[in-house]
Amino acid sequence: MTHRFSKLDSMTVDDRTFAVRPMQPPEKETHQWVDDVGKTVCVVRGDHFERSAGTAMRFDDRGTIEFPVRGRWNRAVMSAVDESGVTLVRYRLNPTNHKIPIINPLGCDLRRVEAVVDPAIHGMPGIALLVASSCPLLLRYFQHGGSGGGLSLVIN
C-alpha cells in the first residue's frame, strides 16, 4: 500500500483523495480533511510549534486524538493518543534513516520521523491519513519563528 502526501492541502491514499478545507465559518488554527466526495473525515485544531504540542485531530469513528511530545531534539518521541488513553501510533526522530524517498521544498529532513502503528488499529478507517498528516508535527514541535509551509512526503 502506498500513501502519498503530495502537498499540505491534499493526499492520495490508495485510490482515495483527501483535501484540506477551511472550516465554515472559519476558525483560527483549524481545518478539516475531506474525502473525494466532500465528506469530512477529520477536523484538525491547533499546532505543534516552538515546543508546544497543541494539535488535536477529531475523527468521527475514533474521537479526538492528541499528540504529546517528550524528550529532547535527538531523542524526541511523540504519540498519537486517543480519548481513552490508548496509544495508536508512536513517532520518533531517526537521524540515520536516509532510505525513505522524500521530496521537501522547505529543507526539513522528514527522513528523521519514523512512525510505528499499533497492530490493533491497522484496519482503522483513516489510519493512513492520521499517520501521514501527523508525522510532520514532531518536527514542527521543534521549529521556531516564521510560519509553516507546504510539506511533501511519500510513504511506501
Side-chain angles (χ1 to χ4, degrees), residues 65-134:
I65 299 171
E66 294 183 341
F67 302 90
V69 178
R70 59 183 159 74
R72 301 172 82 181
W73 168 244
N74 284 332
R75 304 252 192 273
V77 176
M78 180 175 77
S79 302
V81 181
D82 70 11
E83 292 174 341
S84 61
V86 174
T87 299
L88 308 173
V89 184
R90 291 189 192 276
Y91 310 79
R92 72 177 181 144
L93 296 175
N94 181 356
T96 62
N97 185 354
H98 297 290
K99 297 179 183 174
I100 299 172
I102 301 295
I103 301 168
N104 183 0
L106 296 180
C108 297
D109 187 0
L110 293 181
R111 288 178 276 206
R112 294 180 58 105
V113 178
E114 293 181 341
V116 177
V117 178
D118 183 326
I121 63 156
H122 275 233
M124 172 185 141
I127 189 62
L129 177 64
L130 168 68
V131 172
S133 62
S134 60

Short mmCIF file of all heavy atoms in Angstrom, two decimals, residues 65-134:
data_model
loop_
_atom_site.label_atom_id
_atom_site.label_comp_id
_atom_site.label_asym_id
_atom_site.label_seq_id
_atom_site.Cartn_x
_atom_site.Cartn_y
_atom_site.Cartn_z
N ILE A 65 -7.84 12.72 18.89
CA ILE A 65 -6.50 12.17 19.06
C ILE A 65 -5.56 13.34 19.31
O ILE A 65 -5.56 14.33 18.57
CB ILE A 65 -6.08 11.37 17.81
CG1 ILE A 65 -7.05 10.20 17.63
CG2 ILE A 65 -4.64 10.89 17.94
CD1 ILE A 65 -6.90 9.45 16.35
N GLU A 66 -4.76 13.23 20.37
CA GLU A 66 -3.78 14.26 20.71
C GLU A 66 -2.38 13.69 20.48
O GLU A 66 -2.19 12.47 20.40
CB GLU A 66 -3.96 14.72 22.14
CG GLU A 66 -5.29 15.42 22.33
CD GLU A 66 -5.48 15.97 23.73
OE1 GLU A 66 -4.77 15.51 24.66
OE2 GLU A 66 -6.34 16.85 23.90
N PHE A 67 -1.39 14.59 20.42
CA PHE A 67 -0.03 14.21 20.04
C PHE A 67 1.00 14.76 21.02
O PHE A 67 1.76 15.68 20.70
CB PHE A 67 0.27 14.71 18.62
CG PHE A 67 -0.70 14.18 17.60
CD1 PHE A 67 -1.87 14.88 17.32
CD2 PHE A 67 -0.47 12.98 16.96
CE1 PHE A 67 -2.78 14.39 16.40
CE2 PHE A 67 -1.38 12.48 16.04
CZ PHE A 67 -2.54 13.19 15.76
N PRO A 68 1.05 14.21 22.25
CA PRO A 68 2.04 14.70 23.21
C PRO A 68 3.46 14.34 22.76
O PRO A 68 3.68 13.31 22.11
CB PRO A 68 1.68 13.96 24.50
CG PRO A 68 0.94 12.74 24.05
CD PRO A 68 0.24 13.12 22.78
N VAL A 69 4.41 15.22 23.09
CA VAL A 69 5.82 15.03 22.75
C VAL A 69 6.62 15.04 24.04
O VAL A 69 6.35 15.83 24.93
CB VAL A 69 6.33 16.16 21.82
CG1 VAL A 69 7.81 15.98 21.50
CG2 VAL A 69 5.51 16.21 20.53
N ARG A 70 7.61 14.16 24.11
CA ARG A 70 8.53 14.19 25.25
C ARG A 70 9.94 13.94 24.74
O ARG A 70 10.12 13.33 23.68
CB ARG A 70 8.15 13.19 26.33
CG ARG A 70 8.10 11.76 25.91
CD ARG A 70 7.61 10.87 27.07
NE ARG A 70 7.09 9.61 26.62
CZ ARG A 70 7.81 8.60 26.17
NH1 ARG A 70 9.09 8.71 26.08
NH2 ARG A 70 7.24 7.49 25.78
N GLY A 71 10.88 14.44 25.46
CA GLY A 71 12.28 14.24 25.08
C GLY A 71 12.87 15.45 24.38
O GLY A 71 12.18 16.40 24.06
N ARG A 72 14.16 15.38 24.17
CA ARG A 72 14.90 16.45 23.52
C ARG A 72 15.02 16.15 22.03
O ARG A 72 14.69 15.07 21.58
CB ARG A 72 16.27 16.57 24.16
CG ARG A 72 16.13 16.87 25.66
CD ARG A 72 17.42 16.80 26.34
NE ARG A 72 18.11 18.08 26.12
CZ ARG A 72 19.30 18.34 26.57
NH1 ARG A 72 19.97 17.43 27.24
NH2 ARG A 72 19.84 19.51 26.37
N TRP A 73 15.51 17.13 21.30
CA TRP A 73 15.55 17.07 19.84
C TRP A 73 16.01 15.71 19.29
O TRP A 73 15.30 15.08 18.52
CB TRP A 73 16.44 18.20 19.32
CG TRP A 73 16.77 18.06 17.88
CD1 TRP A 73 18.00 17.87 17.35
CD2 TRP A 73 15.87 18.09 16.77
NE1 TRP A 73 17.92 17.79 15.98
CE2 TRP A 73 16.62 17.91 15.59
CE3 TRP A 73 14.49 18.23 16.65
CZ2 TRP A 73 16.05 17.89 14.33
CZ3 TRP A 73 13.93 18.21 15.38
CH2 TRP A 73 14.70 18.04 14.24
N ASN A 74 17.19 15.21 19.66
CA ASN A 74 17.68 13.97 19.06
C ASN A 74 17.07 12.70 19.65
O ASN A 74 17.32 11.62 19.15
CB ASN A 74 19.21 13.91 19.16
CG ASN A 74 19.85 14.80 18.14
OD1 ASN A 74 19.27 15.06 17.08
ND2 ASN A 74 21.03 15.30 18.44
N ARG A 75 16.29 12.84 20.70
CA ARG A 75 15.69 11.66 21.33
C ARG A 75 14.18 11.84 21.52
O ARG A 75 13.59 11.18 22.34
CB ARG A 75 16.33 11.40 22.68
CG ARG A 75 17.82 11.23 22.65
CD ARG A 75 18.19 9.78 22.89
NE ARG A 75 19.60 9.61 23.15
CZ ARG A 75 20.50 9.44 22.20
NH1 ARG A 75 20.15 9.50 20.95
NH2 ARG A 75 21.77 9.23 22.50
N ALA A 76 13.59 12.74 20.77
CA ALA A 76 12.17 13.06 20.96
C ALA A 76 11.27 11.91 20.52
O ALA A 76 11.56 11.20 19.56
CB ALA A 76 11.80 14.32 20.19
N VAL A 77 10.17 11.76 21.26
CA VAL A 77 9.16 10.76 20.95
C VAL A 77 7.79 11.45 21.02
O VAL A 77 7.53 12.22 21.93
CB VAL A 77 9.20 9.59 21.96
CG1 VAL A 77 8.07 8.61 21.71
CG2 VAL A 77 10.55 8.89 21.92
N MET A 78 6.96 11.18 20.04
CA MET A 78 5.60 11.71 20.02
C MET A 78 4.66 10.51 19.92
O MET A 78 5.00 9.49 19.33
CB MET A 78 5.41 12.64 18.81
CG MET A 78 4.01 13.24 18.71
SD MET A 78 3.87 14.45 17.35
CE MET A 78 3.75 13.36 15.93
N SER A 79 3.49 10.64 20.52
CA SER A 79 2.49 9.58 20.46
C SER A 79 1.19 10.14 19.92
O SER A 79 0.89 11.32 20.13
CB SER A 79 2.23 8.99 21.86
OG SER A 79 3.42 8.50 22.41
N ALA A 80 0.42 9.31 19.25
CA ALA A 80 -0.96 9.65 18.88
C ALA A 80 -1.82 8.90 19.89
O ALA A 80 -1.86 7.67 19.90
CB ALA A 80 -1.28 9.20 17.46
N VAL A 81 -2.49 9.65 20.77
CA VAL A 81 -3.22 9.06 21.89
C VAL A 81 -4.69 9.41 21.77
O VAL A 81 -5.06 10.58 21.62
CB VAL A 81 -2.67 9.59 23.24
CG1 VAL A 81 -3.40 8.98 24.41
CG2 VAL A 81 -1.17 9.33 23.33
N ASP A 82 -5.56 8.38 21.81
CA ASP A 82 -7.00 8.65 21.71
C ASP A 82 -7.58 9.05 23.06
O ASP A 82 -6.88 9.11 24.07
CB ASP A 82 -7.75 7.48 21.07
CG ASP A 82 -7.82 6.23 21.95
OD1 ASP A 82 -7.47 6.28 23.14
OD2 ASP A 82 -8.26 5.18 21.43
N GLU A 83 -8.87 9.33 23.08
CA GLU A 83 -9.54 9.84 24.28
C GLU A 83 -9.48 8.88 25.47
O GLU A 83 -9.51 9.30 26.61
CB GLU A 83 -11.01 10.15 23.97
CG GLU A 83 -11.18 11.31 23.04
CD GLU A 83 -12.62 11.52 22.61
OE1 GLU A 83 -13.44 10.58 22.72
OE2 GLU A 83 -12.93 12.63 22.16
N SER A 84 -9.37 7.59 25.19
CA SER A 84 -9.32 6.62 26.28
C SER A 84 -7.89 6.37 26.77
O SER A 84 -7.67 5.53 27.63
CB SER A 84 -9.98 5.30 25.86
OG SER A 84 -9.30 4.75 24.76
N GLY A 85 -6.92 7.09 26.20
CA GLY A 85 -5.54 6.95 26.64
C GLY A 85 -4.76 5.88 25.90
O GLY A 85 -3.61 5.60 26.25
N VAL A 86 -5.34 5.29 24.87
CA VAL A 86 -4.67 4.25 24.10
C VAL A 86 -3.72 4.91 23.09
O VAL A 86 -4.12 5.82 22.35
CB VAL A 86 -5.68 3.35 23.36
CG1 VAL A 86 -4.99 2.37 22.43
CG2 VAL A 86 -6.57 2.63 24.36
N THR A 87 -2.48 4.44 23.05
CA THR A 87 -1.51 4.95 22.08
C THR A 87 -1.70 4.21 20.77
O THR A 87 -1.53 2.99 20.70
CB THR A 87 -0.07 4.77 22.59
OG1 THR A 87 0.07 5.53 23.81
CG2 THR A 87 0.95 5.25 21.58
N LEU A 88 -2.07 4.95 19.73
CA LEU A 88 -2.34 4.38 18.41
C LEU A 88 -1.08 4.32 17.56
O LEU A 88 -0.88 3.36 16.80
CB LEU A 88 -3.40 5.20 17.69
CG LEU A 88 -4.69 5.46 18.45
CD1 LEU A 88 -5.57 6.42 17.67
CD2 LEU A 88 -5.41 4.16 18.73
N VAL A 89 -0.27 5.37 17.66
CA VAL A 89 0.94 5.47 16.84
C VAL A 89 2.04 6.08 17.71
O VAL A 89 1.78 6.97 18.52
CB VAL A 89 0.72 6.38 15.61
CG1 VAL A 89 1.96 6.41 14.71
CG2 VAL A 89 -0.50 5.97 14.82
N ARG A 90 3.26 5.59 17.54
CA ARG A 90 4.43 6.17 18.19
C ARG A 90 5.35 6.70 17.10
O ARG A 90 5.58 6.03 16.10
CB ARG A 90 5.17 5.15 19.03
CG ARG A 90 4.42 4.71 20.24
CD ARG A 90 5.32 3.85 21.14
NE ARG A 90 4.54 3.19 22.16
CZ ARG A 90 4.19 3.74 23.31
NH1 ARG A 90 4.56 4.97 23.57
NH2 ARG A 90 3.49 3.07 24.19
N TYR A 91 5.86 7.91 17.31
CA TYR A 91 6.74 8.55 16.35
C TYR A 91 8.07 8.83 17.04
O TYR A 91 8.10 9.15 18.22
CB TYR A 91 6.18 9.90 15.90
CG TYR A 91 4.74 9.88 15.45
CD1 TYR A 91 3.69 9.86 16.37
CD2 TYR A 91 4.44 9.90 14.10
CE1 TYR A 91 2.38 9.87 15.96
CE2 TYR A 91 3.11 9.92 13.67
CZ TYR A 91 2.09 9.89 14.60
OH TYR A 91 0.79 9.90 14.19
N ARG A 92 9.16 8.72 16.29
CA ARG A 92 10.45 9.07 16.85
C ARG A 92 11.30 9.69 15.75
O ARG A 92 11.06 9.47 14.57
CB ARG A 92 11.16 7.89 17.46
CG ARG A 92 11.69 6.91 16.44
CD ARG A 92 12.45 5.79 17.10
NE ARG A 92 12.96 4.90 16.07
CZ ARG A 92 14.11 4.29 16.13
NH1 ARG A 92 14.86 4.42 17.20
NH2 ARG A 92 14.52 3.52 15.16
N LEU A 93 12.29 10.43 16.18
CA LEU A 93 13.25 11.00 15.25
C LEU A 93 14.34 9.98 15.00
O LEU A 93 14.80 9.32 15.94
CB LEU A 93 13.85 12.28 15.83
CG LEU A 93 12.86 13.41 16.04
CD1 LEU A 93 13.53 14.58 16.74
CD2 LEU A 93 12.27 13.86 14.71
N ASN A 94 14.73 9.82 13.76
CA ASN A 94 15.79 8.89 13.42
C ASN A 94 16.75 9.57 12.45
O ASN A 94 16.50 9.61 11.25
CB ASN A 94 15.22 7.62 12.80
CG ASN A 94 16.31 6.62 12.47
OD1 ASN A 94 17.49 6.88 12.63
ND2 ASN A 94 15.89 5.47 12.00
N PRO A 95 17.85 10.09 12.95
CA PRO A 95 18.77 10.83 12.08
C PRO A 95 19.54 9.96 11.11
O PRO A 95 20.17 10.46 10.20
CB PRO A 95 19.73 11.49 13.08
CG PRO A 95 19.67 10.64 14.28
CD PRO A 95 18.28 10.07 14.33
N THR A 96 19.48 8.63 11.23
CA THR A 96 20.27 7.77 10.36
C THR A 96 19.47 7.16 9.23
O THR A 96 20.04 6.51 8.37
CB THR A 96 20.92 6.64 11.17
OG1 THR A 96 19.88 5.84 11.75
CG2 THR A 96 21.81 7.19 12.26
N ASN A 97 18.18 7.32 9.19
CA ASN A 97 17.37 6.68 8.15
C ASN A 97 17.30 7.59 6.92
O ASN A 97 16.55 8.54 6.89
CB ASN A 97 15.96 6.39 8.68
CG ASN A 97 15.14 5.61 7.67
OD1 ASN A 97 15.56 5.38 6.55
ND2 ASN A 97 13.97 5.20 8.08
N HIS A 98 18.06 7.27 5.89
CA HIS A 98 18.07 8.09 4.68
C HIS A 98 17.54 7.30 3.48
O HIS A 98 17.84 7.63 2.35
CB HIS A 98 19.48 8.59 4.39
CG HIS A 98 19.98 9.49 5.47
ND1 HIS A 98 19.47 10.75 5.67
CD2 HIS A 98 20.92 9.30 6.42
CE1 HIS A 98 20.08 11.31 6.68
NE2 HIS A 98 20.96 10.45 7.17
N LYS A 99 16.78 6.24 3.70
CA LYS A 99 16.30 5.40 2.61
C LYS A 99 14.86 5.68 2.22
O LYS A 99 14.38 5.16 1.24
CB LYS A 99 16.45 3.93 3.00
CG LYS A 99 17.89 3.55 3.21
CD LYS A 99 18.04 2.11 3.62
CE LYS A 99 19.51 1.83 3.86
NZ LYS A 99 19.74 0.51 4.40
N ILE A 100 14.15 6.52 2.98
CA ILE A 100 12.77 6.84 2.65
C ILE A 100 12.78 7.92 1.58
O ILE A 100 13.44 8.94 1.74
CB ILE A 100 12.01 7.34 3.89
CG1 ILE A 100 11.99 6.25 4.96
CG2 ILE A 100 10.58 7.76 3.52
CD1 ILE A 100 11.43 6.71 6.28
N PRO A 101 12.07 7.71 0.45
CA PRO A 101 12.08 8.74 -0.61
C PRO A 101 11.32 9.99 -0.15
O PRO A 101 10.15 9.92 0.18
CB PRO A 101 11.36 8.05 -1.77
CG PRO A 101 10.55 6.98 -1.15
CD PRO A 101 11.26 6.56 0.11
N ILE A 102 12.00 11.10 -0.15
CA ILE A 102 11.44 12.35 0.37
C ILE A 102 11.58 13.44 -0.68
O ILE A 102 12.61 13.58 -1.31
CB ILE A 102 12.17 12.80 1.65
CG1 ILE A 102 12.07 11.75 2.73
CG2 ILE A 102 11.68 14.15 2.13
CD1 ILE A 102 10.70 11.49 3.24
N ILE A 103 10.53 14.24 -0.82
CA ILE A 103 10.60 15.47 -1.60
C ILE A 103 10.10 16.54 -0.66
O ILE A 103 8.97 16.49 -0.21
CB ILE A 103 9.70 15.41 -2.84
CG1 ILE A 103 10.12 14.24 -3.73
CG2 ILE A 103 9.75 16.72 -3.60
CD1 ILE A 103 9.13 13.94 -4.82
N ASN A 104 10.93 17.51 -0.34
CA ASN A 104 10.54 18.53 0.62
C ASN A 104 11.15 19.87 0.25
O ASN A 104 12.33 20.07 0.46
CB ASN A 104 10.97 18.11 2.03
CG ASN A 104 10.52 19.11 3.06
OD1 ASN A 104 9.89 20.11 2.75
ND2 ASN A 104 10.85 18.85 4.30
N PRO A 105 10.35 20.79 -0.27
CA PRO A 105 10.90 22.07 -0.70
C PRO A 105 11.37 22.97 0.45
O PRO A 105 12.08 23.93 0.22
CB PRO A 105 9.72 22.72 -1.43
CG PRO A 105 8.52 22.10 -0.83
CD PRO A 105 8.92 20.69 -0.47
N LEU A 106 11.01 22.67 1.69
CA LEU A 106 11.39 23.53 2.81
C LEU A 106 12.75 23.21 3.39
O LEU A 106 13.28 23.97 4.18
CB LEU A 106 10.35 23.44 3.93
CG LEU A 106 8.96 23.93 3.59
CD1 LEU A 106 8.06 23.78 4.78
CD2 LEU A 106 9.00 25.36 3.11
N GLY A 107 13.29 22.07 3.05
CA GLY A 107 14.60 21.72 3.57
C GLY A 107 14.56 20.98 4.90
O GLY A 107 15.59 20.58 5.40
N CYS A 108 13.39 20.78 5.51
CA CYS A 108 13.31 19.96 6.73
C CYS A 108 13.64 18.53 6.34
O CYS A 108 13.25 18.07 5.28
CB CYS A 108 11.91 19.95 7.32
SG CYS A 108 11.28 21.51 7.86
N ASP A 109 14.32 17.82 7.20
CA ASP A 109 14.66 16.44 6.91
C ASP A 109 13.59 15.53 7.49
O ASP A 109 13.69 15.08 8.62
CB ASP A 109 16.04 16.10 7.49
CG ASP A 109 16.50 14.73 7.06
OD1 ASP A 109 15.76 14.04 6.33
OD2 ASP A 109 17.60 14.34 7.47
N LEU A 110 12.54 15.28 6.70
CA LEU A 110 11.44 14.44 7.17
C LEU A 110 11.85 12.98 7.31
O LEU A 110 11.13 12.19 7.88
CB LEU A 110 10.24 14.55 6.25
CG LEU A 110 9.56 15.90 6.23
CD1 LEU A 110 8.37 15.88 5.29
CD2 LEU A 110 9.11 16.31 7.61
N ARG A 111 13.02 12.62 6.80
CA ARG A 111 13.50 11.26 6.98
C ARG A 111 13.74 10.97 8.44
O ARG A 111 13.89 9.83 8.83
CB ARG A 111 14.79 11.06 6.19
CG ARG A 111 14.55 11.01 4.71
CD ARG A 111 15.84 10.85 4.01
NE ARG A 111 16.43 12.17 3.86
CZ ARG A 111 17.27 12.50 2.90
NH1 ARG A 111 17.66 11.60 2.05
NH2 ARG A 111 17.74 13.70 2.82
N ARG A 112 13.80 11.99 9.24
CA ARG A 112 14.06 11.80 10.65
C ARG A 112 12.86 11.27 11.41
O ARG A 112 12.97 10.91 12.55
CB ARG A 112 14.54 13.11 11.27
CG ARG A 112 15.87 13.58 10.74
CD ARG A 112 16.27 14.87 11.39
NE ARG A 112 16.35 14.74 12.82
CZ ARG A 112 17.45 14.66 13.54
NH1 ARG A 112 18.60 14.71 12.93
NH2 ARG A 112 17.40 14.56 14.84
N VAL A 113 11.69 11.26 10.83
CA VAL A 113 10.49 10.83 11.55
C VAL A 113 10.11 9.41 11.14
O VAL A 113 9.93 9.13 9.96
CB VAL A 113 9.31 11.78 11.30
CG1 VAL A 113 8.06 11.28 12.02
CG2 VAL A 113 9.65 13.19 11.72
N GLU A 114 10.02 8.53 12.11
CA GLU A 114 9.52 7.17 11.89
C GLU A 114 8.23 7.01 12.69
O GLU A 114 8.11 7.57 13.77
CB GLU A 114 10.52 6.13 12.39
CG GLU A 114 11.79 6.08 11.61
CD GLU A 114 12.74 5.00 12.13
OE1 GLU A 114 12.59 4.55 13.29
OE2 GLU A 114 13.62 4.63 11.37
N ALA A 115 7.30 6.27 12.13
CA ALA A 115 6.02 6.02 12.82
C ALA A 115 5.79 4.52 12.91
O ALA A 115 5.98 3.80 11.94
CB ALA A 115 4.88 6.68 12.06
N VAL A 116 5.37 4.07 14.10
CA VAL A 116 5.01 2.67 14.31
C VAL A 116 3.55 2.64 14.73
O VAL A 116 3.17 3.23 15.75
CB VAL A 116 5.90 2.02 15.40
CG1 VAL A 116 5.46 0.59 15.65
CG2 VAL A 116 7.37 2.10 15.00
N VAL A 117 2.73 1.96 13.93
CA VAL A 117 1.29 1.89 14.16
C VAL A 117 0.97 0.65 14.98
O VAL A 117 1.45 -0.45 14.68
CB VAL A 117 0.54 1.85 12.81
CG1 VAL A 117 -0.96 1.72 13.03
CG2 VAL A 117 0.87 3.08 11.98
N ASP A 118 0.14 0.82 16.01
CA ASP A 118 -0.31 -0.31 16.82
C ASP A 118 -1.03 -1.31 15.90
O ASP A 118 -1.95 -0.93 15.18
CB ASP A 118 -1.27 0.20 17.90
CG ASP A 118 -1.75 -0.90 18.83
OD1 ASP A 118 -1.91 -2.05 18.39
OD2 ASP A 118 -1.97 -0.60 20.00
N PRO A 119 -0.62 -2.58 15.91
CA PRO A 119 -1.24 -3.57 15.02
C PRO A 119 -2.76 -3.68 15.19
O PRO A 119 -3.47 -4.02 14.24
CB PRO A 119 -0.57 -4.89 15.43
CG PRO A 119 0.71 -4.50 16.07
CD PRO A 119 0.46 -3.16 16.71
N ALA A 120 -3.27 -3.35 16.35
CA ALA A 120 -4.72 -3.46 16.60
C ALA A 120 -5.53 -2.46 15.77
O ALA A 120 -6.73 -2.64 15.61
CB ALA A 120 -5.01 -3.27 18.08
N ILE A 121 -4.89 -1.41 15.25
CA ILE A 121 -5.66 -0.41 14.51
C ILE A 121 -5.28 -0.33 13.03
O ILE A 121 -5.68 0.60 12.34
CB ILE A 121 -5.51 0.99 15.14
CG1 ILE A 121 -4.07 1.47 15.08
CG2 ILE A 121 -6.06 1.01 16.54
CD1 ILE A 121 -3.96 2.96 15.13
N HIS A 122 -4.55 -1.32 12.52
CA HIS A 122 -4.16 -1.30 11.11
C HIS A 122 -5.36 -1.17 10.19
O HIS A 122 -5.26 -0.56 9.14
CB HIS A 122 -3.36 -2.55 10.76
CG HIS A 122 -1.91 -2.41 11.06
ND1 HIS A 122 -0.94 -2.67 10.14
CD2 HIS A 122 -1.26 -2.04 12.19
CE1 HIS A 122 0.25 -2.45 10.67
NE2 HIS A 122 0.08 -2.08 11.93
N GLY A 123 -6.48 -1.71 10.54
CA GLY A 123 -7.68 -1.64 9.70
C GLY A 123 -8.55 -0.44 9.95
O GLY A 123 -9.60 -0.29 9.33
N MET A 124 -8.14 0.44 10.87
CA MET A 124 -8.95 1.61 11.20
C MET A 124 -9.09 2.51 9.97
O MET A 124 -8.11 2.86 9.34
CB MET A 124 -8.25 2.40 12.32
CG MET A 124 -8.88 3.74 12.64
SD MET A 124 -7.88 4.63 13.87
CE MET A 124 -7.99 6.28 13.23
N PRO A 125 -10.34 2.88 9.63
CA PRO A 125 -10.50 3.84 8.54
C PRO A 125 -9.79 5.14 8.89
O PRO A 125 -9.85 5.61 10.01
CB PRO A 125 -12.02 4.07 8.48
CG PRO A 125 -12.62 2.91 9.20
CD PRO A 125 -11.60 2.47 10.21
N GLY A 126 -9.06 5.68 7.95
CA GLY A 126 -8.37 6.94 8.18
C GLY A 126 -7.00 6.81 8.81
O GLY A 126 -6.35 7.83 9.08
N ILE A 127 -6.50 5.59 9.07
CA ILE A 127 -5.20 5.45 9.73
C ILE A 127 -4.08 6.01 8.86
O ILE A 127 -3.17 6.66 9.37
CB ILE A 127 -4.90 3.99 10.16
CG1 ILE A 127 -3.64 3.94 11.04
CG2 ILE A 127 -4.76 3.07 8.98
CD1 ILE A 127 -3.74 4.69 12.33
N ALA A 128 -4.14 5.80 7.56
CA ALA A 128 -3.11 6.34 6.68
C ALA A 128 -3.13 7.87 6.70
O ALA A 128 -2.08 8.52 6.74
CB ALA A 128 -3.29 5.83 5.26
N LEU A 129 -4.32 8.44 6.70
CA LEU A 129 -4.45 9.90 6.79
C LEU A 129 -3.89 10.40 8.11
O LEU A 129 -3.16 11.38 8.16
CB LEU A 129 -5.92 10.30 6.63
CG LEU A 129 -6.23 11.78 6.78
CD1 LEU A 129 -5.57 12.58 5.68
CD2 LEU A 129 -7.74 12.00 6.77
N LEU A 130 -4.23 9.71 9.20
CA LEU A 130 -3.73 10.09 10.52
C LEU A 130 -2.21 10.10 10.54
O LEU A 130 -1.58 11.08 10.93
CB LEU A 130 -4.25 9.12 11.59
CG LEU A 130 -3.58 9.21 12.96
CD1 LEU A 130 -3.91 10.52 13.64
CD2 LEU A 130 -3.98 8.04 13.82
N VAL A 131 -1.58 9.01 10.09
CA VAL A 131 -0.13 8.89 10.16
C VAL A 131 0.56 9.90 9.24
O VAL A 131 1.45 10.64 9.66
CB VAL A 131 0.33 7.46 9.82
CG1 VAL A 131 1.84 7.37 9.70
CG2 VAL A 131 -0.18 6.48 10.87
N ALA A 132 0.14 9.96 7.99
CA ALA A 132 0.81 10.83 7.02
C ALA A 132 0.67 12.31 7.37
O ALA A 132 1.61 13.09 7.21
CB ALA A 132 0.29 10.57 5.62
N SER A 133 -0.49 12.70 7.86
CA SER A 133 -0.68 14.12 8.17
C SER A 133 -0.10 14.52 9.53
O SER A 133 0.11 15.70 9.79
CB SER A 133 -2.17 14.49 8.10
OG SER A 133 -2.91 13.78 9.06
N SER A 134 0.18 13.55 10.40
CA SER A 134 0.71 13.89 11.72
C SER A 134 2.22 13.72 11.84
O SER A 134 2.83 14.30 12.74
CB SER A 134 0.00 13.07 12.81
OG SER A 134 0.20 11.68 12.59
#
